[in-house]
Amino acid sequence: MTQAKIQRPSGMHDVLPEDQKYFQKIFDVVKEIADFYNFQKIDTPILEKTELFSRGIGLATDIVQKEMFSFKTKGGDYLTLRPEGTAPVARAYIEHGMQNLPQPVKLWYFGPFFRYEKPQAGRYRQFWQFGFEVLGEENPVIDAQIIQIFFNILKELKLENLVIKVNSIGDRACRPYYKKLLNSYFKSRLESLCRDCRRRFKENPFRILDCKVEKCQTIASQAPLIIDHLCQACHEHFKEVLEFLDELSFPYHLEPHLVRGLDYYTRTVFEIFEDSEEGKKLGALVGGGRYDGLIKILGGKETPAVGGAGGVERIVSLMKEKAIRFPREKKTEIFLAQLGFLAKRKSLKLIEEFRKEGINIFESLGRDSLKAQLKLADKLGAKYTLILGQKEALDNEIILRDMASGRQEKIKIDKIIETIKKKIKKP
Ligand code: AMP
């Protein structure tokens, strides 16, 4: 009886060899920009205490209500596969006493995240994000710099037609009054809202503003806007952020309905989109904002902070759609073909010598047919093939075959690296 095939979990995917070059390119660009702006890399655990997210992101958010992969361990701890990176970074900042370092502390990360969402275009249950966080700085210039960093990464990856959406959602000085306004607005419309939103109304009416249900969106679109009710300090802060963005001539839009789905945000929030059919389908490529209250909520000292995260799969999908190319990968210049046990032994050693010299060499050590190996060398486009047969292995020689002309010469095995270096002009 044949066994049933086991497939990957729904909404999760393999990053196949053909996609690795996109992931690698994004990682390289992110790292280069992080180094330039003096961010340091941090890796936090894939699992965190569930409370980190319920307290940090907010009990009434969709992420905490519906989207977390949580479980109880054998030891009785409640753990969750991290759905986002900001709360773990804030936790690490507190736990390692980073508030005692010169401020701000600038950190970046790149890794997998998990949300139990309905799988669809641009929405997975395991996805990769890169993120930048600046902790311990209140100045609005940093909000603009964070936006600049993400915008530059996307530009560097050759994405065009980028649109930045920004808003300010106030702070604990102006939000309570705005919440009251929202309460009275939604109270008279409660019957027309979806069931989730009726619950959100009791827990946090702010969350109704990012409901995806159409009838709720229609109602929310007429709700009072926080931007009209900012306190003086938040108003000033936002004005300056916009002035910095103007200075950079960035294509931003004020988006008064942008609130983002996490409770920890204060003041500036932003998202970056690619303005095309495909881009619209995928949704935001990057999202972030200021989170001045989070570190205190998690048990640390009052610390202003701002950051954001970009979605790797969405960016990869746009790069593919737009057929964005990279410089050619490693060329196959040399192929090593071998025959017999002794030749295989000598090949292993020879390959190691090529590696030490920094010369790429391709082989198919498991094969015995010389014909098959030469065919493969041809297919890979090798310029030269080294042939180590049984006789050559005994005589300490190797055949060097020029694949274009078919010309062959015998060379002493201890001279082969030198000869190849001359042929491919490696110093
Ligand atoms: P968020 O923390 O929701 O603002 O996410 C930041 C970025 O990560 C988004 O702008 C997306 O590009 C990406 N992202 C978020 N959720 C998913 C998901 N379920 N699947 C793929 N990418 C996602």
Side-chain angles (χ1 to χ4, degrees), residues 63 83-85 115 117 122-129 260 262 264-265 271-272 282-288 308-315:
I63 294 188
E84 58 97 54
R115 291 184 197 171
E117 299 202 71
R123 214 166 272 288
Y124 300 101
R125 290 184 174 171
Q126 175 177 342
F127 54 96
W128 288 67
Q129 281 187 341
R260 312 224 349 98
L262 305 95
Y264 55 61
Y265 285 115
E271 286 182 343
I272 309 182
L282 290 173
L285 302 179
V286 170
V312 175
E313 283 82 358
R314 292 187 189 180
I315 297 173

PDB file of all heavy atoms in Angstrom, residues 63 83-85 115 117 122-129 260 262 264-265 271-272 282-288 308-315, ligand 1:
ATOM      1  N   ILE A  63      -4.512  40.321  15.428  1.00  0.00           N
ATOM      2  CA  ILE A  63      -3.355  39.421  15.587  1.00  0.00           C
ATOM      3  C   ILE A  63      -3.531  38.592  16.854  1.00  0.00           C
ATOM      4  O   ILE A  63      -3.423  37.364  16.832  1.00  0.00           O
ATOM      5  CB  ILE A  63      -2.028  40.229  15.633  1.00  0.00           C
ATOM      6  CG1 ILE A  63      -1.774  40.905  14.290  1.00  0.00           C
ATOM      7  CG2 ILE A  63      -0.856  39.320  16.011  1.00  0.00           C
ATOM      8  CD1 ILE A  63      -0.418  41.568  14.155  1.00  0.00           C
ATOM      9  N   PRO A  83       4.432  36.680  15.952  1.00  0.00           N
ATOM     10  CA  PRO A  83       3.690  37.189  14.795  1.00  0.00           C
ATOM     11  C   PRO A  83       4.292  38.475  14.241  1.00  0.00           C
ATOM     12  O   PRO A  83       3.916  38.923  13.156  1.00  0.00           O
ATOM     13  CB  PRO A  83       2.295  37.462  15.359  1.00  0.00           C
ATOM     14  CG  PRO A  83       2.525  37.731  16.814  1.00  0.00           C
ATOM     15  CD  PRO A  83       3.758  36.991  17.231  1.00  0.00           C
ATOM     16  N   GLU A  84       5.212  39.080  14.980  1.00  0.00           N
ATOM     17  CA  GLU A  84       5.845  40.324  14.520  1.00  0.00           C
ATOM     18  C   GLU A  84       7.119  40.542  15.330  1.00  0.00           C
ATOM     19  O   GLU A  84       7.375  39.820  16.307  1.00  0.00           O
ATOM     20  CB  GLU A  84       4.870  41.511  14.644  1.00  0.00           C
ATOM     21  CG  GLU A  84       4.362  41.745  16.046  1.00  0.00           C
ATOM     22  CD  GLU A  84       5.142  42.812  16.783  1.00  0.00           C
ATOM     23  OE1 GLU A  84       5.260  43.905  16.256  1.00  0.00           O
ATOM     24  OE2 GLU A  84       5.650  42.513  17.879  1.00  0.00           O
ATOM     25  N   GLY A  85       7.918  41.529  14.931  1.00  0.00           N
ATOM     26  CA  GLY A  85       9.243  41.654  15.517  1.00  0.00           C
ATOM     27  C   GLY A  85       9.434  42.770  16.531  1.00  0.00           C
ATOM     28  O   GLY A  85      10.422  42.761  17.268  1.00  0.00           O
ATOM     29  N   ARG A 115       1.553  34.025  11.352  1.00  0.00           N
ATOM     30  CA  ARG A 115       0.207  34.511  11.697  1.00  0.00           C
ATOM     31  C   ARG A 115      -0.811  33.543  11.109  1.00  0.00           C
ATOM     32  O   ARG A 115      -0.702  33.188   9.925  1.00  0.00           O
ATOM     33  CB  ARG A 115      -0.038  35.918  11.128  1.00  0.00           C
ATOM     34  CG  ARG A 115       0.793  36.968  11.801  1.00  0.00           C
ATOM     35  CD  ARG A 115       0.459  38.365  11.301  1.00  0.00           C
ATOM     36  NE  ARG A 115       1.541  39.270  11.679  1.00  0.00           N
ATOM     37  CZ  ARG A 115       1.661  40.515  11.252  1.00  0.00           C
ATOM     38  NH1 ARG A 115       0.739  41.014  10.432  1.00  0.00           N
ATOM     39  NH2 ARG A 115       2.665  41.260  11.637  1.00  0.00           N
ATOM     40  N   GLU A 117      -3.483  33.409   9.408  1.00  0.00           N
ATOM     41  CA  GLU A 117      -4.376  34.211   8.576  1.00  0.00           C
ATOM     42  C   GLU A 117      -4.965  33.322   7.490  1.00  0.00           C
ATOM     43  O   GLU A 117      -4.469  32.219   7.245  1.00  0.00           O
ATOM     44  CB  GLU A 117      -3.591  35.321   7.890  1.00  0.00           C
ATOM     45  CG  GLU A 117      -2.946  36.279   8.860  1.00  0.00           C
ATOM     46  CD  GLU A 117      -2.647  37.622   8.236  1.00  0.00           C
ATOM     47  OE1 GLU A 117      -3.610  38.362   7.982  1.00  0.00           O
ATOM     48  OE2 GLU A 117      -1.472  37.934   8.021  1.00  0.00           O
ATOM     49  N   GLY A 122      -0.174  37.296  -1.237  1.00  0.00           N
ATOM     50  CA  GLY A 122       0.580  38.178  -0.337  1.00  0.00           C
ATOM     51  C   GLY A 122       0.302  37.953   1.142  1.00  0.00           C
ATOM     52  O   GLY A 122       0.714  38.743   1.978  1.00  0.00           O
ATOM     53  N   ARG A 123      -0.431  36.903   1.471  1.00  0.00           N
ATOM     54  CA  ARG A 123      -0.757  36.646   2.879  1.00  0.00           C
ATOM     55  C   ARG A 123      -0.489  35.181   3.195  1.00  0.00           C
ATOM     56  O   ARG A 123      -1.169  34.293   2.680  1.00  0.00           O
ATOM     57  CB  ARG A 123      -2.230  36.982   3.126  1.00  0.00           C
ATOM     58  CG  ARG A 123      -2.499  37.535   4.504  1.00  0.00           C
ATOM     59  CD  ARG A 123      -3.863  38.156   4.594  1.00  0.00           C
ATOM     60  NE  ARG A 123      -3.845  39.565   4.195  1.00  0.00           N
ATOM     61  CZ  ARG A 123      -3.322  40.539   4.917  1.00  0.00           C
ATOM     62  NH1 ARG A 123      -2.759  40.285   6.073  1.00  0.00           N
ATOM     63  NH2 ARG A 123      -3.367  41.778   4.486  1.00  0.00           N
ATOM     64  N   TYR A 124       0.526  34.953   3.990  1.00  0.00           N
ATOM     65  CA  TYR A 124       0.912  33.588   4.345  1.00  0.00           C
ATOM     66  C   TYR A 124       0.807  33.392   5.843  1.00  0.00           C
ATOM     67  O   TYR A 124       0.683  34.355   6.597  1.00  0.00           O
ATOM     68  CB  TYR A 124       2.365  33.330   3.924  1.00  0.00           C
ATOM     69  CG  TYR A 124       2.605  33.484   2.453  1.00  0.00           C
ATOM     70  CD1 TYR A 124       3.176  34.639   1.946  1.00  0.00           C
ATOM     71  CD2 TYR A 124       2.244  32.470   1.577  1.00  0.00           C
ATOM     72  CE1 TYR A 124       3.396  34.787   0.595  1.00  0.00           C
ATOM     73  CE2 TYR A 124       2.474  32.603   0.218  1.00  0.00           C
ATOM     74  CZ  TYR A 124       3.039  33.766  -0.265  1.00  0.00           C
ATOM     75  OH  TYR A 124       3.253  33.909  -1.600  1.00  0.00           O
ATOM     76  N   ARG A 125       0.928  32.124   6.243  1.00  0.00           N
ATOM     77  CA  ARG A 125       0.948  31.854   7.691  1.00  0.00           C
ATOM     78  C   ARG A 125       2.365  31.847   8.231  1.00  0.00           C
ATOM     79  O   ARG A 125       2.580  32.049   9.402  1.00  0.00           O
ATOM     80  CB  ARG A 125       0.233  30.535   7.973  1.00  0.00           C
ATOM     81  CG  ARG A 125      -1.245  30.690   7.720  1.00  0.00           C
ATOM     82  CD  ARG A 125      -2.022  29.456   8.061  1.00  0.00           C
ATOM     83  NE  ARG A 125      -3.432  29.727   7.917  1.00  0.00           N
ATOM     84  CZ  ARG A 125      -4.370  28.820   7.976  1.00  0.00           C
ATOM     85  NH1 ARG A 125      -4.044  27.552   8.187  1.00  0.00           N
ATOM     86  NH2 ARG A 125      -5.623  29.156   7.841  1.00  0.00           N
ATOM     87  N   GLN A 126       3.327  31.563   7.352  1.00  0.00           N
ATOM     88  CA  GLN A 126       4.721  31.829   7.709  1.00  0.00           C
ATOM     89  C   GLN A 126       5.276  32.730   6.631  1.00  0.00           C
ATOM     90  O   GLN A 126       5.180  32.424   5.443  1.00  0.00           O
ATOM     91  CB  GLN A 126       5.560  30.552   7.786  1.00  0.00           C
ATOM     92  CG  GLN A 126       7.021  30.904   8.049  1.00  0.00           C
ATOM     93  CD  GLN A 126       7.950  29.718   8.223  1.00  0.00           C
ATOM     94  OE1 GLN A 126       7.509  28.613   8.473  1.00  0.00           O
ATOM     95  NE2 GLN A 126       9.234  29.963   8.111  1.00  0.00           N
ATOM     96  N   PHE A 127       5.813  33.859   7.034  1.00  0.00           N
ATOM     97  CA  PHE A 127       6.358  34.802   6.054  1.00  0.00           C
ATOM     98  C   PHE A 127       7.603  35.431   6.652  1.00  0.00           C
ATOM     99  O   PHE A 127       7.830  35.375   7.855  1.00  0.00           O
ATOM    100  CB  PHE A 127       5.314  35.880   5.714  1.00  0.00           C
ATOM    101  CG  PHE A 127       4.777  36.583   6.923  1.00  0.00           C
ATOM    102  CD1 PHE A 127       5.302  37.796   7.333  1.00  0.00           C
ATOM    103  CD2 PHE A 127       3.767  36.017   7.678  1.00  0.00           C
ATOM    104  CE1 PHE A 127       4.830  38.434   8.466  1.00  0.00           C
ATOM    105  CE2 PHE A 127       3.284  36.644   8.827  1.00  0.00           C
ATOM    106  CZ  PHE A 127       3.811  37.846   9.210  1.00  0.00           C
ATOM    107  N   TRP A 128       8.421  36.016   5.780  1.00  0.00           N
ATOM    108  CA  TRP A 128       9.674  36.616   6.245  1.00  0.00           C
ATOM    109  C   TRP A 128       9.543  38.130   6.291  1.00  0.00           C
ATOM    110  O   TRP A 128       8.913  38.725   5.420  1.00  0.00           O
ATOM    111  CB  TRP A 128      10.817  36.219   5.311  1.00  0.00           C
ATOM    112  CG  TRP A 128      11.202  34.776   5.450  1.00  0.00           C
ATOM    113  CD1 TRP A 128      10.424  33.701   5.104  1.00  0.00           C
ATOM    114  CD2 TRP A 128      12.412  34.247   5.995  1.00  0.00           C
ATOM    115  NE1 TRP A 128      11.092  32.539   5.402  1.00  0.00           N
ATOM    116  CE2 TRP A 128      12.321  32.843   5.946  1.00  0.00           C
ATOM    117  CE3 TRP A 128      13.573  34.823   6.511  1.00  0.00           C
ATOM    118  CZ2 TRP A 128      13.348  32.015   6.399  1.00  0.00           C
ATOM    119  CZ3 TRP A 128      14.586  33.996   6.951  1.00  0.00           C
ATOM    120  CH2 TRP A 128      14.463  32.606   6.896  1.00  0.00           C
ATOM    121  N   GLN A 129      10.136  38.691   7.314  1.00  0.00           N
ATOM    122  CA  GLN A 129      10.139  40.153   7.425  1.00  0.00           C
ATOM    123  C   GLN A 129      11.557  40.631   7.734  1.00  0.00           C
ATOM    124  O   GLN A 129      12.324  39.925   8.381  1.00  0.00           O
ATOM    125  CB  GLN A 129       9.275  40.618   8.603  1.00  0.00           C
ATOM    126  CG  GLN A 129       7.792  40.634   8.343  1.00  0.00           C
ATOM    127  CD  GLN A 129       7.033  41.281   9.502  1.00  0.00           C
ATOM    128  OE1 GLN A 129       7.531  41.401  10.610  1.00  0.00           O
ATOM    129  NE2 GLN A 129       5.807  41.688   9.232  1.00  0.00           N
ATOM    130  N   ARG A 260      -3.386  51.198  11.333  1.00  0.00           N
ATOM    131  CA  ARG A 260      -2.582  49.988  11.551  1.00  0.00           C
ATOM    132  C   ARG A 260      -3.187  49.109  12.637  1.00  0.00           C
ATOM    133  O   ARG A 260      -3.882  49.571  13.527  1.00  0.00           O
ATOM    134  CB  ARG A 260      -1.113  50.298  11.832  1.00  0.00           C
ATOM    135  CG  ARG A 260      -0.570  51.263  10.838  1.00  0.00           C
ATOM    136  CD  ARG A 260       0.776  51.038  10.243  1.00  0.00           C
ATOM    137  NE  ARG A 260       1.642  50.049  10.765  1.00  0.00           N
ATOM    138  CZ  ARG A 260       1.777  48.827  10.254  1.00  0.00           C
ATOM    139  NH1 ARG A 260       1.063  48.466   9.207  1.00  0.00           N
ATOM    140  NH2 ARG A 260       2.628  48.000  10.772  1.00  0.00           N
ATOM    141  N   LEU A 262      -2.133  47.298  15.168  1.00  0.00           N
ATOM    142  CA  LEU A 262      -1.498  46.954  16.450  1.00  0.00           C
ATOM    143  C   LEU A 262      -1.705  48.116  17.423  1.00  0.00           C
ATOM    144  O   LEU A 262      -1.574  49.272  17.032  1.00  0.00           O
ATOM    145  CB  LEU A 262       0.002  46.695  16.254  1.00  0.00           C
ATOM    146  CG  LEU A 262       0.342  45.624  15.210  1.00  0.00           C
ATOM    147  CD1 LEU A 262       0.623  46.243  13.862  1.00  0.00           C
ATOM    148  CD2 LEU A 262       1.520  44.781  15.656  1.00  0.00           C
ATOM    149  N   TYR A 264       0.093  49.185  19.885  1.00  0.00           N
ATOM    150  CA  TYR A 264       1.201  49.909  20.506  1.00  0.00           C
ATOM    151  C   TYR A 264       1.604  51.194  19.799  1.00  0.00           C
ATOM    152  O   TYR A 264       2.423  51.955  20.288  1.00  0.00           O
ATOM    153  CB  TYR A 264       2.426  49.009  20.736  1.00  0.00           C
ATOM    154  CG  TYR A 264       2.981  48.263  19.533  1.00  0.00           C
ATOM    155  CD1 TYR A 264       3.458  48.923  18.415  1.00  0.00           C
ATOM    156  CD2 TYR A 264       3.069  46.872  19.563  1.00  0.00           C
ATOM    157  CE1 TYR A 264       3.990  48.234  17.347  1.00  0.00           C
ATOM    158  CE2 TYR A 264       3.610  46.167  18.501  1.00  0.00           C
ATOM    159  CZ  TYR A 264       4.072  46.848  17.394  1.00  0.00           C
ATOM    160  OH  TYR A 264       4.603  46.159  16.343  1.00  0.00           O
ATOM    161  N   TYR A 265       1.032  51.454  18.625  1.00  0.00           N
ATOM    162  CA  TYR A 265       1.470  52.644  17.900  1.00  0.00           C
ATOM    163  C   TYR A 265       0.977  53.939  18.536  1.00  0.00           C
ATOM    164  O   TYR A 265      -0.116  54.000  19.096  1.00  0.00           O
ATOM    165  CB  TYR A 265       1.005  52.583  16.438  1.00  0.00           C
ATOM    166  CG  TYR A 265       1.829  51.613  15.623  1.00  0.00           C
ATOM    167  CD1 TYR A 265       1.269  50.479  15.078  1.00  0.00           C
ATOM    168  CD2 TYR A 265       3.187  51.841  15.431  1.00  0.00           C
ATOM    169  CE1 TYR A 265       2.032  49.581  14.356  1.00  0.00           C
ATOM    170  CE2 TYR A 265       3.956  50.945  14.700  1.00  0.00           C
ATOM    171  CZ  TYR A 265       3.377  49.827  14.179  1.00  0.00           C
ATOM    172  OH  TYR A 265       4.138  48.953  13.471  1.00  0.00           O
ATOM    173  N   GLU A 271       2.772  53.310   5.829  1.00  0.00           N
ATOM    174  CA  GLU A 271       2.844  52.088   5.021  1.00  0.00           C
ATOM    175  C   GLU A 271       3.392  52.470   3.655  1.00  0.00           C
ATOM    176  O   GLU A 271       3.181  53.587   3.198  1.00  0.00           O
ATOM    177  CB  GLU A 271       1.457  51.452   4.873  1.00  0.00           C
ATOM    178  CG  GLU A 271       1.014  50.772   6.162  1.00  0.00           C
ATOM    179  CD  GLU A 271      -0.348  50.063   6.096  1.00  0.00           C
ATOM    180  OE1 GLU A 271      -1.128  50.333   5.161  1.00  0.00           O
ATOM    181  OE2 GLU A 271      -0.597  49.256   6.983  1.00  0.00           O
ATOM    182  N   ILE A 272       4.095  51.532   3.041  1.00  0.00           N
ATOM    183  CA  ILE A 272       4.594  51.802   1.681  1.00  0.00           C
ATOM    184  C   ILE A 272       4.018  50.751   0.724  1.00  0.00           C
ATOM    185  O   ILE A 272       4.044  49.551   1.013  1.00  0.00           O
ATOM    186  CB  ILE A 272       6.143  51.784   1.610  1.00  0.00           C
ATOM    187  CG1 ILE A 272       6.740  52.698   2.692  1.00  0.00           C
ATOM    188  CG2 ILE A 272       6.615  52.198   0.223  1.00  0.00           C
ATOM    189  CD1 ILE A 272       8.262  52.789   2.682  1.00  0.00           C
ATOM    190  N   LEU A 282      -1.316  42.808  -3.565  1.00  0.00           N
ATOM    191  CA  LEU A 282      -0.459  42.321  -2.483  1.00  0.00           C
ATOM    192  C   LEU A 282      -0.656  43.076  -1.180  1.00  0.00           C
ATOM    193  O   LEU A 282      -0.495  42.529  -0.098  1.00  0.00           O
ATOM    194  CB  LEU A 282       1.018  42.433  -2.889  1.00  0.00           C
ATOM    195  CG  LEU A 282       1.491  41.484  -3.961  1.00  0.00           C
ATOM    196  CD1 LEU A 282       2.906  41.831  -4.384  1.00  0.00           C
ATOM    197  CD2 LEU A 282       1.451  40.048  -3.446  1.00  0.00           C
ATOM    198  N   GLY A 283      -0.985  44.360  -1.264  1.00  0.00           N
ATOM    199  CA  GLY A 283      -1.095  45.178  -0.056  1.00  0.00           C
ATOM    200  C   GLY A 283       0.248  45.799   0.296  1.00  0.00           C
ATOM    201  O   GLY A 283       1.191  45.779  -0.502  1.00  0.00           O
ATOM    202  N   ALA A 284       0.332  46.332   1.525  1.00  0.00           N
ATOM    203  CA  ALA A 284       1.526  47.092   1.927  1.00  0.00           C
ATOM    204  C   ALA A 284       2.783  46.229   1.850  1.00  0.00           C
ATOM    205  O   ALA A 284       2.777  45.067   2.232  1.00  0.00           O
ATOM    206  CB  ALA A 284       1.348  47.620   3.336  1.00  0.00           C
ATOM    207  N   LEU A 285       3.863  46.826   1.337  1.00  0.00           N
ATOM    208  CA  LEU A 285       5.152  46.124   1.326  1.00  0.00           C
ATOM    209  C   LEU A 285       5.850  46.339   2.661  1.00  0.00           C
ATOM    210  O   LEU A 285       6.591  45.487   3.128  1.00  0.00           O
ATOM    211  CB  LEU A 285       6.048  46.669   0.212  1.00  0.00           C
ATOM    212  CG  LEU A 285       5.489  46.581  -1.207  1.00  0.00           C
ATOM    213  CD1 LEU A 285       6.476  47.188  -2.191  1.00  0.00           C
ATOM    214  CD2 LEU A 285       5.203  45.126  -1.561  1.00  0.00           C
ATOM    215  N   VAL A 286       5.598  47.504   3.243  1.00  0.00           N
ATOM    216  CA  VAL A 286       6.253  47.880   4.501  1.00  0.00           C
ATOM    217  C   VAL A 286       5.217  48.566   5.387  1.00  0.00           C
ATOM    218  O   VAL A 286       4.335  49.261   4.887  1.00  0.00           O
ATOM    219  CB  VAL A 286       7.398  48.891   4.207  1.00  0.00           C
ATOM    220  CG1 VAL A 286       7.930  49.499   5.501  1.00  0.00           C
ATOM    221  CG2 VAL A 286       8.539  48.243   3.434  1.00  0.00           C
ATOM    222  N   GLY A 287       5.343  48.369   6.677  1.00  0.00           N
ATOM    223  CA  GLY A 287       4.459  49.088   7.603  1.00  0.00           C
ATOM    224  C   GLY A 287       5.221  49.392   8.873  1.00  0.00           C
ATOM    225  O   GLY A 287       6.119  48.646   9.261  1.00  0.00           O
ATOM    226  N   GLY A 288       4.875  50.495   9.506  1.00  0.00           N
ATOM    227  CA  GLY A 288       5.574  50.793  10.759  1.00  0.00           C
ATOM    228  C   GLY A 288       5.045  52.040  11.403  1.00  0.00           C
ATOM    229  O   GLY A 288       4.021  52.597  10.997  1.00  0.00           O
ATOM    230  N   GLY A 308       9.784  49.826  11.872  1.00  0.00           N
ATOM    231  CA  GLY A 308       8.898  49.297  10.839  1.00  0.00           C
ATOM    232  C   GLY A 308       9.405  47.951  10.359  1.00  0.00           C
ATOM    233  O   GLY A 308      10.481  47.499  10.758  1.00  0.00           O
ATOM    234  N   ALA A 309       8.576  47.310   9.502  1.00  0.00           N
ATOM    235  CA  ALA A 309       8.965  46.000   8.973  1.00  0.00           C
ATOM    236  C   ALA A 309       8.496  45.866   7.532  1.00  0.00           C
ATOM    237  O   ALA A 309       7.442  46.385   7.155  1.00  0.00           O
ATOM    238  CB  ALA A 309       8.354  44.885   9.823  1.00  0.00           C
ATOM    239  N   GLY A 310       9.297  45.168   6.727  1.00  0.00           N
ATOM    240  CA  GLY A 310       8.955  44.934   5.327  1.00  0.00           C
ATOM    241  C   GLY A 310       8.703  43.455   5.101  1.00  0.00           C
ATOM    242  O   GLY A 310       9.322  42.607   5.740  1.00  0.00           O
ATOM    243  N   GLY A 311       7.792  43.141   4.197  1.00  0.00           N
ATOM    244  CA  GLY A 311       7.429  41.754   3.921  1.00  0.00           C
ATOM    245  C   GLY A 311       8.226  41.210   2.741  1.00  0.00           C
ATOM    246  O   GLY A 311       8.092  41.695   1.613  1.00  0.00           O
ATOM    247  N   VAL A 312       9.045  40.193   3.001  1.00  0.00           N
ATOM    248  CA  VAL A 312       9.955  39.693   1.967  1.00  0.00           C
ATOM    249  C   VAL A 312       9.195  39.039   0.808  1.00  0.00           C
ATOM    250  O   VAL A 312       9.460  39.317  -0.365  1.00  0.00           O
ATOM    251  CB  VAL A 312      10.990  38.718   2.586  1.00  0.00           C
ATOM    252  CG1 VAL A 312      11.858  38.084   1.521  1.00  0.00           C
ATOM    253  CG2 VAL A 312      11.852  39.450   3.616  1.00  0.00           C
ATOM    254  N   GLU A 313       8.211  38.180   1.116  1.00  0.00           N
ATOM    255  CA  GLU A 313       7.503  37.466   0.029  1.00  0.00           C
ATOM    256  C   GLU A 313       6.808  38.438  -0.925  1.00  0.00           C
ATOM    257  O   GLU A 313       6.798  38.232  -2.132  1.00  0.00           O
ATOM    258  CB  GLU A 313       6.452  36.505   0.582  1.00  0.00           C
ATOM    259  CG  GLU A 313       7.008  35.218   1.133  1.00  0.00           C
ATOM    260  CD  GLU A 313       7.535  35.351   2.545  1.00  0.00           C
ATOM    261  OE1 GLU A 313       7.500  36.478   3.094  1.00  0.00           O
ATOM    262  OE2 GLU A 313       7.995  34.338   3.107  1.00  0.00           O
ATOM    263  N   ARG A 314       6.214  39.492  -0.358  1.00  0.00           N
ATOM    264  CA  ARG A 314       5.515  40.442  -1.227  1.00  0.00           C
ATOM    265  C   ARG A 314       6.510  41.144  -2.155  1.00  0.00           C
ATOM    266  O   ARG A 314       6.222  41.382  -3.330  1.00  0.00           O
ATOM    267  CB  ARG A 314       4.768  41.482  -0.389  1.00  0.00           C
ATOM    268  CG  ARG A 314       3.623  40.857   0.362  1.00  0.00           C
ATOM    269  CD  ARG A 314       2.764  41.890   1.055  1.00  0.00           C
ATOM    270  NE  ARG A 314       1.799  41.206   1.927  1.00  0.00           N
ATOM    271  CZ  ARG A 314       0.916  41.808   2.673  1.00  0.00           C
ATOM    272  NH1 ARG A 314       0.838  43.119   2.680  1.00  0.00           N
ATOM    273  NH2 ARG A 314       0.081  41.115   3.423  1.00  0.00           N
ATOM    274  N   ILE A 315       7.676  41.462  -1.616  1.00  0.00           N
ATOM    275  CA  ILE A 315       8.697  42.132  -2.437  1.00  0.00           C
ATOM    276  C   ILE A 315       9.212  41.167  -3.507  1.00  0.00           C
ATOM    277  O   ILE A 315       9.342  41.534  -4.677  1.00  0.00           O
ATOM    278  CB  ILE A 315       9.849  42.656  -1.540  1.00  0.00           C
ATOM    279  CG1 ILE A 315       9.298  43.718  -0.578  1.00  0.00           C
ATOM    280  CG2 ILE A 315      10.988  43.216  -2.375  1.00  0.00           C
ATOM    281  CD1 ILE A 315      10.276  44.203   0.472  1.00  0.00           C
TER     282      ILE A 315
HETATM  283  P1  AMP B   1       2.710  44.355   9.745  1.00  0.00           P
HETATM  284  O1  AMP B   1       3.481  43.942  10.959  1.00  0.00           O
HETATM  285  O2  AMP B   1       1.376  43.680   9.634  1.00  0.00           O
HETATM  286  O3  AMP B   1       2.683  45.792   9.482  1.00  0.00           O
HETATM  287  O4  AMP B   1       3.552  43.735   8.540  1.00  0.00           O
HETATM  288  C1  AMP B   1       4.662  44.374   7.947  1.00  0.00           C
HETATM  289  C2  AMP B   1       4.802  43.841   6.548  1.00  0.00           C
HETATM  290  O5  AMP B   1       4.970  42.424   6.572  1.00  0.00           O
HETATM  291  C3  AMP B   1       3.563  44.050   5.700  1.00  0.00           C
HETATM  292  O6  AMP B   1       3.598  45.319   5.102  1.00  0.00           O
HETATM  293  C4  AMP B   1       3.665  42.934   4.698  1.00  0.00           C
HETATM  294  O7  AMP B   1       4.559  43.283   3.661  1.00  0.00           O
HETATM  295  C5  AMP B   1       4.288  41.817   5.496  1.00  0.00           C
HETATM  296  N1  AMP B   1       3.260  40.877   5.998  1.00  0.00           N
HETATM  297  C6  AMP B   1       2.458  41.018   7.078  1.00  0.00           C
HETATM  298  N2  AMP B   1       1.654  39.950   7.229  1.00  0.00           N
HETATM  299  C7  AMP B   1       1.959  39.088   6.224  1.00  0.00           C
HETATM  300  C8  AMP B   1       1.481  37.801   5.832  1.00  0.00           C
HETATM  301  N3  AMP B   1       0.540  37.166   6.519  1.00  0.00           N
HETATM  302  N4  AMP B   1       2.027  37.225   4.726  1.00  0.00           N
HETATM  303  C9  AMP B   1       3.000  37.853   4.032  1.00  0.00           C
HETATM  304  N5  AMP B   1       3.485  39.070   4.361  1.00  0.00           N
HETATM  305  C10 AMP B   1       2.978  39.685   5.431  1.00  0.00           C
END
